[in-house]
Amino acid sequence: MSEQKVVVKGGLVLKPDGLFALDVAIEGEVITEVSEGLDTFGSRVIDATGCVVSTSFYDTHTHSRYPGDSEAETIETLSEQGLLGGYQYLLAMANTEPTIDSVSIWKAVREELRKAPIEVDQAASITIGRKGERLVDFVSLSEAGVTFFTDDGTGVGSTKLMYEALKMSELLGVTVAQHAQDPYLFEGASMNLGATSVRLGLIGEPEASESTMVARDIELLKATGGRLHVLHVSARESINLIRMARNEGLRISAEVTPHHLLLDDSLLSNFDTSFKVNPPLRSKSTQMAIVASAIRGDFDAIATDHAPHAYHSKQRPFSQASFGMIGLQSAFSACWTAFSEPPASPTAIATDHWSHRAASRIGLEPYELQRLHRLLEMMGPGAARVVGRRIGIEPNAQASIVICDPTARSVGKIEDIASHSTNFPYEGRTLRGSVVGGFIRGKEILREGKLWF
Amino acid sequence: MTGLTSNPVPGRRSLTQISDLSDSEIVDLLGRAEIYRKQELGTRRFSDELKDSVVATLFFEGSTRTRLSFTLAAERLGARVIDLAVSASSVSKGESLKDTCDTVSALGADAVVVRHPNEGAPLQIASWTSLAVVNAGDGCHEHPTQALGDLFSLSSAFEGVGNLAAKKIAIVGDILHSRVARSLSALLGRFGSKVVLVGPPDMMVDRPSALGAEFSFDLDEVVGEVDVLYLLRIQRERIQGGYHSSIDSYTRRFQLDQKRYLRMAPKSIVMHPGPVNRGVELAVKLPEERSLISEQVRNGVLMRMAVFSKILATASDDRRSQRGVFGD
């Protein structure tokens, strides 16, 4: 921790209602001042000119592969990617070997994860062994401290079990997160159902596989109360259903992944297993609709669904290769690249003179500044709210910030990614924006895009 | 030859799907096959065109006819053929496909002919290794040499590939699971033919337009207006439990029987990739001039010779040029 006062100067700072030209003073572990033109006398100055200063990112969806698959990832490599990606918090899914489905396993794993240089929280499964047959002991797990339950990797197919789980959620105040996917419609599928799957002769999964389960879960939520989080939304109809449920006042949240924002199923044309992921990459038109929804504010959080796999589990025939791609370290760049693609909407909110000036300070158009604000909201405060945390850049708040350069460009290279795995979907792709600096609880973590501690 | 899938080693080319080929490459292959036919290489004589080449056959799925056709094609041109008996079990054990192919590569084969139950496997091998790969059928994806051989048969029957532009070709059967249908529609579409996919709804692909084709659930609707009726082999096990509960109900609507045959246009022809399920998809004795079925088998060998010639000639040129560079 730096004893000397630090002033982050010249950047645009994330506030709930926009990005503003402010300076941020850090003393010890906390932010002491956020205002214009801070006095820097006697302080270390971090020059954030041309950059945005955001809260550190929260990932509501990470596969740590601990325990069970250290060939794919270790806690060290995971932490390194997280920190390089601007994250301070990762929520590890429960589909490990063994499944995190009991208090003893959860406690043992959490103990190990505590040693990581980044906060890694651990979810528990909804059903024993994620088999969809019997609920885990929600009461004991909740007492032990579990707040997030998910069978991620598989949907809870049984309507009755999901009903029971949501009742538990209501009773105990915990979150139930659904990997929405109908087991029957998904059977045998290795990609999205569409023109590409027809040409490749592969079994495709229709978007309705997801949206039908989202619709069912919303009905169950109405019947039971509770808090439902919809993981990695990939279908257009799911978005509409979630929006309606939210408008009705139901406690529902939803996340979207960088890869569903940036990639589409035409990339599978050469059977490249790096692009095999579940839920699958959808059609170009769905991808564009997801980006538009994200910009409009239909999602609470960006979630990476970072899913490392040992190289040999991807070097198999397409239908037998593992699902998943890594994306923790590249999340901001991938999302910002996706957000940069749609042209300005003619109905975009008219911007004032001030926004023009703020935008031009970092080389963006005013509409881009609005999008960047939306993105940072989803990666930081929005994602934190999903796991029950409240964060922001304000006096007395924890000094966990990330500094991003939105106009930097880089080409995705697996050599630059700290993972043991190589299932990286952005190889050779030009990405916009990079994470350049960061502090966690007042400690400098990143400098010039490199780890610094 | 730029359209063929480029491999890391220059000169090694692969044929994994129809889109690997440019139009001019397809015309070139037809030309080579025609030359071999005239030289009677496909039937009576052998050449030493590829005498220093080794072709490995790697069949992860059983097939006698296709393997024989490839083997004969390579041997007619003087290449050595080695067969790697890959048991189906090594696949189900989850052995890495790449490991298997690295072995073949290390053995020094110039080209590998791959039949695999999983879609895309030949293409993956071509991208993971320096092997020149010829796809001999991959799951429900493609069977490009079958389609190219069929194109050669059609081009001969209609006196030139240029005449295929105005022709209407119906492909009948289990379209959903057919690699022949996929390769054939991709190939015929290039030459302007109108392709109609015909089969029951549960055997139809979700988006026929993605294959550049029209579709029909009713054979009787199209049988009278096609120039070519291409029947696919029906897998009995795929019939049960599907849209049609029995072979009977399938044959009632999609079998080429006497009645339907008589409704076909006078000079229209019938094709089938073989082996024919007599009494299922076909239940009529066709006069020789109306059937290309035997011709397809002969032409399949000639076309596979053309493919080897094109792929391996480049490979051995490459070897020669390497000798030139490095001396002896």
Side-chain angles (χ1 to χ4, degrees):
Chain A
M1 165 187 343
S2 114
E3 290 305 319
Q4 192 187 13
K5 180 177 165 185
V6 173
V7 177
V8 181
K9 240 190 141 38
L12 293 183
V13 174
L14 177 71
K15 299 297 274 180
D17 49 347
L19 289 161
F20 300 95
L22 297 166
D23 299 338
V24 180
I26 298 171
E27 283 180 73
E29 291 193 18
V30 296
I31 293 170
T32 48
E33 267 186 289
V34 182
S35 75
E36 287 175 67
L38 278 183
D39 181 15
T40 57
F41 181 76
S43 310
R44 216 188 108 212
V45 176
I46 307 278
D47 183 10
T49 307
C51 292
V52 287
V53 181
S54 168
T55 56
S56 294
F57 301 148
Y58 274 58
D59 188 16
T60 53
H61 197 144
T62 305
H63 294 278
S64 69
R65 301 296 182 223
Y66 181 84
D69 193 0
S70 57
E71 192 180 355
E73 197 82 276
T74 60
I75 296 173
E76 290 73 28
T77 55
L78 181 78
S79 305
E80 196 176 334
Q81 292 166 82
L83 295 172
L84 286 165
Y87 285 91
Q88 79 167 113
Y89 171 101
L90 313 174
L91 178 60
M93 297 293 104
N95 63 337
T96 49
E97 189 52 52
T99 306
I100 315 294
D101 57 5
S102 71
V103 171
S104 58
I105 296 174
W106 183 79
K107 278 190 168 160
V109 170
R110 202 174 144 79
E111 211 45 53
E112 202 55 37
L113 295 175
R114 279 220 171 104
K115 297 174 189 162
I118 187 168
E119 184 181 354
V120 189
D121 202 356
Q122 179 63 58
S125 64
I126 296 172
T127 66
I128 306 251
R130 294 171 50 252
K131 290 201 180 92
E133 292 162 1
R134 237 155 23 97
L135 283 195
V136 296
D137 183 349
F138 266 75
V139 176
S140 303
L141 282 160
S142 159
E143 271 172 10
V146 181
T147 57
F148 203 88
F149 291 81
T150 176
D151 269 7
D152 180 54
T154 325
V156 178
S158 157
T159 309
K160 181 165 192 299
L161 279 175
M162 195 58 189
Y163 179 83
E164 298 293 338
L166 285 169
K167 275 208 311 206
M168 286 293 180
S169 159
E170 170 70 358
L171 189 71
L172 303 167
V174 296
T175 300
V176 168
Q178 179 72 290
H179 172 121
Q181 185 159 58
D182 182 89
Y184 302 103
L185 283 173
F186 180 62
E187 195 179 346
S190 48
M191 66 173 297
N192 178 49
L193 177 70
T196 307
S197 72
V198 166
R199 275 193 292 269
L200 300 184
L202 291 167
I203 301 175
E205 182 214 40
E207 288 186 27
S209 165
E210 177 180 297
S211 58
T212 50
M213 193 174 273
V214 170
R216 181 202 72 174
D217 288 353
I218 288 170
E219 289 307 306
L220 294 175
L221 192 61
K222 288 177 192 167
T224 57
R227 199 186 164 298
L228 175 68
H229 179 64
V230 186
L231 300 163
H232 45 44
V233 172
S234 73
R236 246 188 281 203
E237 276 314 309
S238 310
I239 302 171
N240 293 331
L241 290 162
I242 293 162
R243 192 194 301 121
M244 283 193 295
R246 193 182 279 130
N247 290 344
E248 283 181 46
L250 294 174
R251 282 184 295 166
I252 189 168
S253 56
E255 62 180 38
V256 64
T257 71
H259 49 271
H260 287 110
L261 288 169
L262 187 59
L263 309 175
D264 69 83
D265 67 358
S266 65
L267 290 163
L268 297 160
S269 297
N270 287 326
F271 295 95
D272 186 340
T273 57
S274 295
F275 298 112
K276 183 179 176 184
V277 66
N278 187 22
L281 299 178
R282 301 296 186 184
S283 65
K284 185 75 192 167
S285 68
T286 293
Q287 179 224 330
M288 282 159 51
I290 291 175
V291 173
S293 290
I295 290 172
R296 202 167 52 222
D298 285 335
F299 297 104
D300 299 270
I302 298 289
T304 64
D305 195 3
H306 175 79
H309 285 291
Y311 71 97
H312 51 80
S313 72
K314 282 287 191 180
Q315 279 182 348
R316 290 196 194 139
F318 195 88
S319 59
Q320 292 170 13
S322 302
F323 287 102
M325 40 179 73
I326 54 176
L328 193 52
Q329 197 177 322
S330 52
F332 171 74
S333 316
C335 293
W336 181 229
T337 307
F339 270 39
S340 301
E341 275 172 10
S345 155
T347 59
I349 309 157
T351 49
D352 53 23
H353 173 67
W354 182 87
S355 319
H356 278 278
R357 271 185 49 196
S360 66
R361 273 174 80 111
I362 55 171
L364 300 177
E365 295 295 324
Y367 77 90
E368 291 184 294
L369 199 65
Q370 289 175 357
R371 289 179 185 181
L372 185 55
H373 174 253
R374 180 74 219 129
L375 174 61
L376 296 171
E377 267 290 310
M378 283 193 287
M379 295 191 75
R385 272 194 299 275
V386 169
V387 294
R389 308 269 185 97
R390 201 191 146 275
I391 59 169
I393 299 185
E394 58 204 5
N396 298 320
Q398 190 189 81
S400 298
I401 61 164
V402 60
I403 302 167
C404 301
D405 179 351
T407 52
R409 276 176 201 277
S410 61
V411 176
K413 280 204 292 283
I414 185 62
E415 298 90 79
D416 299 336
I417 305 293
S419 186
H420 282 326
S421 298
T422 55
N423 49 325
F424 179 57
Y426 310 118
E427 184 71 28
R429 184 182 277 266
T430 301
L431 298 175
R432 189 183 189 207
S434 65
V435 177
V436 292
F439 288 77
I440 293 181
R441 283 188 207 88
K443 184 177 164 188
E444 189 170 19
I445 295 292
L446 279 176
R447 191 184 283 185
E448 289 167 7
K450 302 215 160 40
L451 289 187
W452 191 268
F453 62 93
Chain B
M1 297 220 20
T2 49
L4 289 167
T5 303
S6 295
N7 282 322
V9 176
R12 296 285 171 94
R13 308 289 179 140
S14 291
L15 174 59
T16 60
Q17 51 191 2
I18 293 300
S19 61
D20 289 348
L21 297 166
S22 67
D23 291 355
S24 61
E25 284 171 324
I26 295 167
V27 171
D28 177 56
L29 286 171
L30 292 171
R32 284 178 195 236
E34 187 60 42
I35 290 168
Y36 291 138
R37 169 153 56 200
K38 286 192 176 131
Q39 294 172 340
E40 297 189 314
L41 277 177
T43 45
R44 297 170 63 180
R45 296 166 50 210
F46 287 75
S47 87
D48 60 358
E49 186 184 331
L50 300 175
K51 72 177 165 59
D52 291 332
S53 299
V54 176
V55 172
T57 54
L58 197 54
F59 277 54
F60 292 87
E61 183 183 77
S63 158
T64 315
R65 297 161 55 103
T66 307
R67 193 205 309 247
L68 268 179
S69 179
F70 272 108
T71 304
L72 199 58
E75 288 183 349
R76 289 272 182 211
L77 295 177
R80 307 284 166 96
V81 181
I82 53 171
D83 178 54
L84 269 99
V86 198
S87 69
S89 67
S90 66
V91 181
S92 60
K93 277 177 194 159
E95 184 195 17
S96 156
L97 181 61
K98 184 173 187 298
D99 284 348
T100 312
C101 294
D102 281 343
T103 308
V104 177
S105 187
L107 285 170
D110 296 295
V112 59
V113 178
V114 180
R115 155 85 47 117
H116 202 285
N118 293 126
E119 296 78 14
L123 205 142
Q124 290 175 302
I125 295 168
S127 71
W128 290 336
T129 69
S130 58
L131 289 162
V133 180
V134 182
N135 182 357
D138 59 331
C140 303
H141 178 223
E142 287 214 26
H143 195 354
T145 60
Q146 174 72 44
L148 286 163
D150 294 340
L151 180 71
F152 183 42
S153 301
L154 282 167
S155 152
S156 310
F158 291 104
E159 292 163 353
V161 78
N163 292 330
L164 296 179
K167 298 291 181 281
K168 187 167 179 175
I169 293 148
I171 304 176
V172 187
D174 184 357
I175 307 298
L176 183 61
H177 297 102
S178 174
R179 49 195 174 211
V180 176
R182 282 181 180 76
S183 286
L184 208 52
S185 358
L187 189 56
L188 291 171
R190 297 272 199 96
F191 296 94
S193 308
K194 195 170 168 190
V195 178
V196 191
L197 305 172
V198 184
D202 62 325
M203 292 185 169
M204 187 54 65
V205 291
D206 195 67
R207 287 165 177 74
S209 59
L211 303 179
E214 295 175 11
F215 71 101
S216 168
F217 298 140
D218 186 359
L219 179 57
D220 291 317
E221 181 185 271
V222 297
V223 74
E225 54 190 49
V226 296
D227 301 289
V228 179
L229 196 63
Y230 194 110
L231 304 171
L232 297 169
R233 182 181 163 79
I234 288 299
Q235 311 263 319
R236 282 166 191 270
E237 64 275 16
R238 289 229 161 101
I239 292 271
Q240 265 92 35
Y243 186 80
H244 290 275
S245 49
S246 67
I247 292 280
D248 274 358
S249 66
Y250 176 85
T251 55
R252 263 205 305 281
R253 297 191 60 190
F254 297 101
Q255 182 183 69
L256 181 62
D257 56 12
Q258 188 70 25
K259 216 172 101 207
R260 291 194 177 100
Y261 173 68
L262 291 173
R263 287 191 51 216
M264 289 179 70
K267 285 189 168 171
S268 60
I269 50 179
V270 177
M271 298 177 79
H272 191 295
V276 178
N277 262 327
R278 297 272 171 198
V280 182
E281 61 265 15
L282 182 62
V284 60
K285 188 157 186 342
L286 299 166
E288 212 168 290
E289 73 276 11
R290 298 286 300 278
S291 163
L292 284 182
I293 298 174
S294 303
E295 196 61 15
Q296 283 175 268
V297 179
R298 281 190 287 275
N299 288 338
V301 177
L302 291 167
M303 180 49 74
R304 286 172 183 122
M305 289 167 69
V307 168
F308 281 136
S309 158
K310 201 159 165 118
I311 285 173
L312 292 174
T314 332
S316 53
D317 284 351
D318 206 46
R319 266 203 313 268
R320 271 193 290 278
S321 69
Q322 276 185 9
R323 272 200 289 274
V325 173
F326 297 111
D328 284 318

